[in-house]
Amino acid sequence: GQQVMQIPQYQHVQEGEDFTTYCNSSTTLSNIQWYKQRPGGHPVFLIQLVKSGEVKKQKRLTFQFGEAKKNSSLHITATQTTDVGTYFCGRSSNTGKLIFGQGTTLQVKP
Amino acid sequence: EPEVTQTPSHQVTQMGQEVILRCVPISNHLYFYWYRQILGQKVEFLVSFYNNEISEKSEIFDDQFSVERPDGSNFTLKIRSTKLEDSAMYFCASSPTSGRTRTPFGPGTRLTVL
């Protein structure tokens, strides 16, 4: 019930192509957070979404929270080699515990 | 910008030995966490700590694990008798409040159990 499922597991794109990763839950989420982990690095907070249908943008990154608050997506427009890494979605509980999805590893070919 | 720090960056130990992983959370944060990431897998919650006691722990956090805040700045994770399957990256994190807030992670300690 607490799990968040993330797809795809891996994505290889040519530099300049777009990229999307999806996060799904069987239960309604109070919030969704997105983190990026560079190879050999640690998770770095990107954004939090809390409202139904919310859309937030950070430069080339667009984050969406579904109307039913059961899914979310991260879309990167015109990928760059600096976008390489693993993108995790996660839900935060009232105690602050983060439950992460399996992550989507993005490889960008220059 | 304040950061969570962790030491050591890499710890190698023999199976059955005790290890202590150290973390310095961000100074005005009140909630502290440990997470584990086995190579190539997702980040898994281990334990949360608030007001000098464990507030929540996962199934992974069995009797071999303990956490402590020995002074006003450090937060430690102890594994009493390490097993091969404890080999992983261990991340410390902290937050100013519980619940829906950004949670900065430390750079991690890579634990290798031989």
Side-chain angles (χ1 to χ4, degrees), chain A residues 47-104:
Chain A
I47 210 156
Q48 176 173 262
L49 305 171
V50 297
K51 297 178 183 175
S52 169
E54 189 169 16
V55 178
K56 288 188 177 180
K57 292 190 175 185
Q58 290 178 352
K59 298 182 180 178
R60 295 177 294 104
L61 277 61
T62 301
F63 304 85
Q64 292 190 333
F65 202 8
E67 293 288 342
K69 300 182 74 173
K70 289 185 177 181
N71 56 75
S72 180
S73 65
L74 158 58
H75 179 81
I76 302 178
T77 304
T79 54
Q80 300 175 359
T81 55
T82 52
D83 296 324
V84 163
T86 300
Y87 293 84
F88 291 97
C89 63
R91 56 175 286 274
S92 173
S93 73
N94 290 337
T95 61
K97 172 179 76 175
L98 281 165
I99 301 296
F100 286 100
Q102 299 94 319
T104 297

Side-chain angles (χ1 to χ4, degrees), chain A residues 2-4 9-10 30-31 33 35 37 40-45 48 50 69 88 92-103, chain B residues 6 31 33 35 37 40-45 48 55-58 89 91 95 97-108 110:
Chain A
Q2 294 189 20
Q3 297 293 328
V4 286
Q9 188 174 2
Y10 300 100
S30 60
N31 66 88
Q33 297 186 6
Y35 288 75
Q37 184 177 29
H42 59 280
V44 175
F45 176 85
Q48 176 173 262
V50 297
K69 300 182 74 173
F88 291 97
S92 173
S93 73
N94 290 337
T95 61
K97 172 179 76 175
L98 281 165
I99 301 296
F100 286 100
Q102 299 94 319
Chain B
Q6 290 185 245
Y31 295 81
Y33 313 90
Y35 290 84
Q37 186 177 35
Q41 298 187 19
K42 68 178 182 180
V43 178
E44 300 174 291
F45 169 80
S48 57
S55 49
E56 190 171 0
K57 60 183 181 179
S58 73
M89 282 291 291
F91 294 107
S95 61
T97 62
S98 67
R100 300 180 289 180
T101 183
R102 64 181 294 166
T103 304
F105 281 69
R110 178 170 297 285

